[in-house]
Amino acid sequence: GAGVSQSPSNKVTEKGKDVELRCDPISGHTALYWYRQSLGQGLEFLIYFQGNSAPDKSGLPSDRFSAERTGGSVSTLTIQRTQQEDSAVYLCASSLDTRSGNTIYFGEGSWLTVV
Amino acid sequence: GNSVTQMEGPVTLSEEAFLTINCTYTATGYPSLFWYVQYPGEGLQLLLKATKADDKGSNKGFEATYRKETTSFHLEKGSVQVSDSAVYFCALSDRVRGGANSKLTFGKGITLSVRP
């Protein structure tokens, strides 16, 4: 597609429920990234994919967070048993590949509110 | 580890004023440096980048020069406009020798407001 597409754009969920956030990267981009943006923490790296594999999952906050990517394209970030501290904007981004210096393009984010 | 430090905000300027936003970094490898901008209600957009020492990135009247000796990448604009009001993030991606890693490390961001 023309840009990185994320859905849903807004999600309100009850504490303890599971949520899935979807990312559709720019066509042809092999690298895909998930970041989280919150007031207290700024922009935090969560995980990135090169193709379908995830060489770096170091930013996932806990084992309640997981992500997968299939077919080298769409990715899903899943948060199980959501907590109020998970409320944030979840940003997906993609780039042509993982070479440093490549431009990373961001989606508009999925705003998650846990009540 | 890698880190990016931005000057504290917010910053409020009058239209046509000169803008400088400071950014310094710490990196273990050979970083590329970026400025991203987030306009109200919009997603993060790349403003400019520089991939090696002494390179100058420029876009929309903004400039930043990669200074390895001072580990800095300060953002400047000679005459700001109301439409430049946004949050600005400095970031780096570290290129480790023999490796490939374009994961971005961001500064905390700074809010710029430009008054008419």
Side-chain angles (χ1 to χ4, degrees):
Chain A
V4 178
S5 178
Q6 293 188 245
S7 61
S9 53
N10 282 285
K11 175 75 175 178
V12 179
T13 190
E14 291 181 353
K15 179 180 171 182
K17 295 284 178 73
D18 297 352
V19 296
E20 285 190 352
L21 307 176
R22 175 189 166 103
C23 173
D24 202 343
I26 292 172
S27 178
H29 280 193
T30 62
L32 185 148
Y33 311 80
W34 284 99
Y35 286 82
R36 180 167 73 174
Q37 186 175 21
S38 55
L39 275 175
Q41 302 296 324
L43 275 156
E44 302 173 88
F45 167 79
L46 298 179
I47 184 172
Y48 90 87
F49 292 88
Q50 175 58 42
N52 291 334
S53 64
D56 190 345
K57 308 178 184 180
S58 61
L60 293 177
S62 74
D63 59 7
R64 296 186 295 104
F65 288 72
S66 63
E68 65 175 13
R69 189 180 187 195
T70 55
S73 182
V74 171
S75 175
T76 302
L77 177 69
T78 301
I79 310 173
Q80 296 178 309
R81 305 181 302 281
T82 51
Q83 304 295 312
Q84 286 185 331
E85 62 262 27
D86 300 334
S87 297
V89 181
Y90 289 83
L91 297 172
C92 179
S94 71
S95 63
L96 202 57
D97 56 45
T98 58
R99 282 176 293 178
S100 179
N102 274 340
T103 297
I104 297 176
Y105 297 88
F106 284 81
E108 295 196 0
S110 291
W111 192 298
L112 175 66
T113 304
V114 182
V115 297
Chain B
N2 299 333
S3 66
V4 175
T5 303
Q6 291 184 234
M7 60 185 279
E8 297 283 328
V11 173
T12 302
L13 294 174
S14 297
E15 203 165 25
E16 299 184 2
F18 183 84
L19 169 71
T20 300
I21 301 177
N22 289 343
C23 171
T24 57
Y25 68 89
T26 302
T28 53
Y30 307 94
S32 295
L33 302 174
F34 305 81
W35 277 99
Y36 277 83
V37 59
Q38 191 170 32
Y39 297 104
E42 298 184 17
L44 271 172
Q45 304 173 24
L46 178 69
L47 180 59
L48 53 85
K49 69 178 184 181
T51 58
K52 61 183 188 296
D54 299 326
D55 271 2
K56 178 186 283 188
S58 61
N59 186 25
K60 297 183 180 181
F62 291 88
E63 292 184 339
T65 301
Y66 187 140
R67 301 284 187 201
K68 189 176 178 182
E69 63 276 13
T70 54
T71 62
S72 65
F73 193 54
H74 304 323
L75 183 68
E76 296 183 336
K77 186 173 185 180
S79 176
V80 294
Q81 305 300 311
V82 172
S83 57
D84 293 327
S85 298
V87 182
Y88 292 81
F89 294 90
C90 186
L92 69 82
S93 68
D94 204 352
R95 183 173 66 251
V96 178
R97 189 190 297 276
N101 184 358
S102 58
K103 181 178 76 178
L104 289 169
T105 300
F106 285 92
K108 291 192 179 298
I110 187 169
T111 300
L112 170 67
S113 298
V114 181
R115 298 184 298 238

